[in-house]
Amino acid sequence: MEFPDLGKHCSEKTCKQLDFLPLKCDACKQDFCKDHFTYAAHMCPFAFKKDIRVPVCPLCNIPVPVKKGELPDVVVGKHMDRDCARCAVPKEKVFTHRCSQEGCRRKEMLQLPCVQCRRNFCIQHRHPLDHGCGPRGGPAGRAG
């Protein structure tokens, strides 16, 4: 051993490995080897000061502040129930175009106007023959 003072021993009680490039924990200020330098690996008692994570609402993607001692899941749940911006916005109706065929109550996402009478129909009644449309723009009558 030419350099007896070179390097430091890992501060983890179960390790004590001599490391020539030790890493110092920024929370507890102790030296650790590469296997124990993370907060979780050496169970750092001061990790709560440095390892701060802010949960994000999964609906509106807004950070939700959590106070000390509160569970993040509970706080995010309260946010979703009360303050969530996405939940406050009324949802738009998708199927808004009602069929003009008498007795049909179907609604479609897109307008399907008849080329002859210009009224809106569902997929089942969209063709002029399906809804009884005549060549002049009105319902076809029977000549007799």
Side-chain angles (χ1 to χ4, degrees):
M1 287 192 148
E2 294 181 28
F3 304 107
D5 296 330
L6 187 64
K8 294 188 178 181
H9 289 279
C10 178
S11 296
E12 177 63 30
K13 293 175 186 170
T14 59
C15 182
K16 299 293 184 190
Q17 176 183 348
L18 179 63
D19 197 338
F20 296 106
L21 294 172
L23 299 163
K24 187 175 286 254
C25 176
D26 61 343
C28 65
K29 308 294 186 214
Q30 294 182 351
D31 295 311
F32 295 96
C33 66
K34 65 178 178 69
D35 297 328
H36 297 110
F37 80 97
T38 62
Y39 299 135
H42 70 271
M43 292 180 278
C44 185
F46 303 105
F48 68 92
K49 293 181 179 179
K50 298 287 183 170
D51 192 18
I52 298 171
R53 296 180 188 173
V54 179
V56 177
C57 175
L59 299 176
C60 63
N61 290 327
I62 294 176
V64 181
V66 179
K67 296 176 184 172
K68 282 187 181 179
E70 291 182 328
L71 294 172
D73 291 339
V74 173
V75 175
V76 171
K78 286 180 183 177
H79 165 79
M80 289 168 58
D81 292 341
R82 298 181 188 162
D83 307 326
C84 189
R86 184 166 183 204
C87 295
V89 177
K91 295 179 181 177
E92 294 181 22
K93 293 183 179 179
V94 177
F95 297 97
T96 57
H97 305 288
R98 189 164 182 201
C99 180
S100 299
Q101 177 68 23
E102 199 173 311
C104 183
R105 302 183 76 192
R106 286 188 173 198
K107 295 180 181 178
E108 297 293 333
M109 290 174 60
L110 301 171
Q111 284 186 336
L112 299 170
C114 174
V115 294
Q116 295 177 356
C117 66
R118 305 278 187 235
R119 294 189 311 171
N120 190 47
F121 293 96
C122 65
I123 291 180
Q124 186 178 358
H125 300 114
R126 71 183 183 267
H127 296 295
L129 294 176
D130 293 335
H131 63 266
C133 187
R136 292 189 207 147
R142 291 189 177 190

